[in-house]
Amino acid sequence: MISAKSGAGVSLLSQVLELVALTATISYSVANSFPFSAWGEGLFLVLQTSTICYLVFYYDNKALAGIAFLVVYAAALYVFLSGMVPMNILWSFQSSNIAIIIGSKVSCFSKSLC
């Protein structure tokens, strides 16, 4: 994306859904005190995927919207990791991961962007 200076071919919806699934995994794992090795990769994927989301906005000349997206996502991530969300909601969030990932891939395939 950086060398092409374009976000063309990247489905923003697919990336956002992937962020949702990663957030579910990380927040559920942290709430259950799972070791970092169980969810650490997800943290790095969140950094990568959120950067991709920002770049899609940036290369579409919507850098301010990209920054707003990152701020809102960071706030949501904080809420999920801080213990403010009850465990039954985190469990439901985590158990919906497969459906979220399938939705992400369907979104991507339906636009022939993958």
Side-chain angles (χ1 to χ4, degrees):
M1 287 181 71
I2 293 173
S3 63
K5 295 189 182 340
S6 172
V10 178
S11 168
L12 185 59
L13 176 60
S14 178
Q15 296 301 311
V16 169
L17 288 173
E18 189 171 327
L19 270 179
V20 170
L22 290 166
T23 302
T25 299
I26 293 169
S27 57
Y28 182 78
S29 298
V30 168
N32 283 296
S33 301
F34 292 164
F36 181 76
S37 60
W39 55 269
E41 179 182 8
L43 179 63
F44 292 103
L45 288 172
V46 160
L47 294 172
Q48 175 183 317
T49 306
S50 58
T51 301
I52 289 170
C53 289
Y54 172 75
L55 288 173
V56 169
F57 283 110
Y58 179 79
Y59 289 126
D60 199 23
N61 293 320
K62 298 177 183 173
L64 191 56
I67 291 169
F69 172 82
L70 291 176
V71 169
V72 169
Y73 176 70
L77 188 60
Y78 173 78
V79 168
F80 277 98
L81 293 176
S82 67
M84 288 190 253
V85 178
M87 184 56 77
N88 63 330
I89 293 175
L90 290 177
W91 181 86
S92 297
F93 195 34
Q94 169 66 13
S95 61
S96 65
N97 246 357
I98 293 175
I100 295 169
I101 292 295
I102 290 171
S104 168
K105 299 309 175 195
V106 167
S107 164
C108 190
F109 292 141
S110 69
K111 293 185 176 186
S112 299
L113 297 175
C114 293

